[in-house]
Amino acid sequence: MKRVHNFSAGPATLPLEVLEQAQEELTEYQDTGRSIMELSHRSAHYEEIDKQAKDRLRSLLGLGDKFEIMFLQGGASSQFMMAPYNFLSKDQTADYIDTGRWSDKAIKEAKIFGNVHVPFSSSEGNYDRVPTQEELNFSDNPRYVHFTSNNTVAGTQFPTEPETNGVPLVCDASSDFLSRPIDVDKYGIIYAGAQKNVGPAGVTVVIIRKDFLEQADTENVPTILRYSTHVEKIFNTPPTFNVYMVNLVLKWIEDKGGLSWFKSFNEEKAQKVYDEIDADDFYRGAVEKESRSLMNATFRLPTEELEARFLEEAVEHDLYSLKGHRSVGGIRASIYNACSMGSVDALVDFMSDFRKRNG
């Protein structure tokens, strides 16, 4: 078996130990004579998987009993619609911090349901930074404040939660979910597509604070789009195999040492890449240093021709999926939780060698 160095932004690399366990259990799960994919979502075996995954999330994030957890479908993009559908009406305003492609999409959806105020936007700088606290100009009485904690396309990340003076945060955490500890008390909703840091594509983790959920106005919301529907019970058939995989990844995170361990691990990986970028002016970081992401390191080379050569030669060294997003170009190394230090070292060694030969 050959495993390459995978820097894909998503679907992203998964822990080898998790893949091996899934492989071992693929055709028969726990002496049932069936694959997990063949078991009813009402079965005791699947209900236990669902419970384990939710218990692990509660423990890792310190959620206690104040939050509900759902495993939904439709990707994080479905939450661009579902959150305002449940919590925003025509006579209300929500604040949306605009720091990238995905927050822009979320803003467009929210405008269908109510008023949207943008307290900050870095669109004129091609989303090359996130705001400081002083730059946030919130509206007088926002229903909630939405932000995208990490921006995969540009390669920026909020260093910590925006301070909203008690207004609930609604966060698209897709690309840095479970990469570091967070202050959960500040959040009304946390949602994340699994395919970057916590499992395969096809399931979206949605975490909602109970007292915030009580404020939802769902009179005109279709049943399946109400958060309360999915809190009460498993309403429709969930992506059972995907939730099974998420549960395995959560156990792997626990076994490694939890979110504090991964915070240090991810900081060390990112520092190695950024040190190589900053060694001289051959590589150029694509965003402001204070806004750099620990998950998605983006950079440019002196010419597009050199970038094309860099990507071509990288594959020859088993370094895959380093091409920047089509909307911005350049190079992007996605170094999520499951990206090993060995892969980062291989990338940095290649970058150093490529500079020596082409600088």
Side-chain angles (χ1 to χ4, degrees):
M1 180 184 68
K2 177 181 179 180
R3 295 280 294 173
V4 301
H5 303 292
N6 181 8
F7 297 96
S8 173
T13 190
L14 286 162
L16 181 58
E17 303 97 302
V18 167
L19 294 174
E20 289 174 338
Q21 182 173 347
Q23 180 185 45
E24 183 179 336
E25 297 178 334
L26 185 64
T27 57
E28 184 181 21
Y29 180 72
Q30 293 190 358
D31 300 321
T32 61
R34 291 163 288 174
S35 168
I36 188 66
M37 291 180 282
E38 301 170 297
L39 290 171
S40 168
H41 62 293
R42 307 293 183 192
S43 68
H45 283 93
Y46 179 73
E47 288 180 350
E48 179 61 22
I49 289 170
D50 181 84
K51 181 180 183 301
Q52 285 181 7
K54 290 175 179 177
D55 287 347
R56 287 188 165 118
L57 278 170
R58 290 188 192 283
S59 175
L60 286 166
L61 286 166
L63 299 177
D65 295 327
K66 294 183 291 186
F67 289 82
E68 301 283 2
I69 301 170
M70 293 156 271
F71 298 117
L72 305 182
Q73 299 175 69
S77 296
S78 67
Q79 298 305 305
F80 299 165
M81 167 270 296
M82 197 165 169
Y85 210 166
N86 281 257
F87 289 100
L88 187 62
S89 60
K90 293 296 183 182
D91 61 346
Q92 295 175 322
T93 297
D95 286 6
Y96 276 70
I97 303 172
D98 180 25
T99 54
R101 178 184 180 89
W102 305 114
S103 57
D104 180 62
K105 289 178 179 292
I107 288 168
K108 290 177 181 177
E109 296 298 298
K111 286 181 177 179
I112 296 172
F113 303 98
N115 301 310
V116 172
H117 170 74
V118 179
F120 172 87
S121 177
S122 54
S123 59
E124 291 186 0
N126 203 24
Y127 296 122
D128 62 346
R129 69 187 185 96
V130 297
T132 63
Q133 184 65 39
E134 292 71 29
E135 291 177 298
L136 291 170
N137 180 28
F138 295 121
S139 61
D140 290 337
N141 188 31
R143 187 73 180 82
Y144 58 82
V145 175
H146 181 283
F147 78 113
T148 306
S149 53
N150 185 84
N151 299 282
T152 53
V153 174
T156 62
Q157 184 179 30
F158 280 80
T160 188
E161 295 91 359
E163 178 53 59
T164 62
N165 296 317
V167 177
L169 289 169
V170 174
C171 180
D172 177 359
S174 293
S175 54
D176 65 354
F177 188 56
L178 302 184
S179 68
R180 59 183 180 178
I182 61 172
D183 185 352
V184 295
D185 290 334
K186 293 184 177 181
Y187 294 85
I189 302 175
I190 303 166
Y191 64 88
Q195 68 273 13
K196 299 177 186 295
N197 235 7
V198 72
V203 61
T204 304
V205 180
V206 180
I207 301 169
I208 185 165
R209 203 171 71 210
K210 290 179 181 179
D211 63 353
F212 187 57
L213 179 60
E214 292 172 357
Q215 302 171 31
D217 181 2
T218 58
E219 181 179 354
N220 297 311
V221 179
T223 302
I224 200 169
L225 296 179
R226 299 175 187 171
Y227 289 119
S228 57
T229 297
H230 302 281
V231 165
E232 291 170 6
K233 61 182 179 180
I234 298 179
F235 178 71
N236 61 328
T237 307
T240 55
F241 181 76
N242 304 69
V243 177
Y244 157 80
M245 289 292 291
V246 166
N247 189 39
L248 295 185
V249 173
L250 294 175
K251 183 180 185 304
W252 173 79
I253 292 173
E254 284 180 340
D255 292 344
K256 285 289 186 180
L259 303 193
S260 295
W261 187 90
F262 273 100
K263 178 179 184 291
S264 297
F265 180 58
N266 290 323
E267 288 173 344
E268 183 179 356
K269 288 186 297 181
Q271 193 62 54
K272 286 186 177 184
V273 177
Y274 289 125
D275 282 348
E276 189 62 32
I277 291 171
D278 295 337
D280 57 29
D281 59 1
F282 181 75
Y283 298 111
R284 182 180 77 258
V287 301
E288 292 190 5
K289 289 184 178 181
E290 294 76 12
S291 297
R292 281 174 167 175
S293 168
L294 301 180
M295 299 284 97
N296 311 97
T298 54
F299 58 96
R300 305 301 302 257
L301 278 74
T303 66
E304 291 186 359
E305 289 76 17
L306 274 176
E307 289 176 350
R309 189 186 307 167
F310 179 97
L311 293 169
E312 182 179 339
E313 291 187 16
V315 171
E316 296 172 4
H317 290 76
D318 290 335
L319 303 165
Y320 280 77
S321 300
L322 285 165
K323 186 176 182 179
H325 191 273
R326 60 186 178 277
S327 64
V328 296
I331 312 296
R332 174 176 58 181
S334 296
I335 48 178
Y336 304 122
N337 283 359
C339 178
S340 70
M341 193 67 74
S343 289
V344 169
D345 288 339
L347 171 62
V348 169
D349 288 345
F350 171 72
M351 290 172 65
S352 177
D353 179 66
F354 190 85
R355 175 199 282 111
K356 290 175 183 176
R357 290 185 288 107
N358 296 278

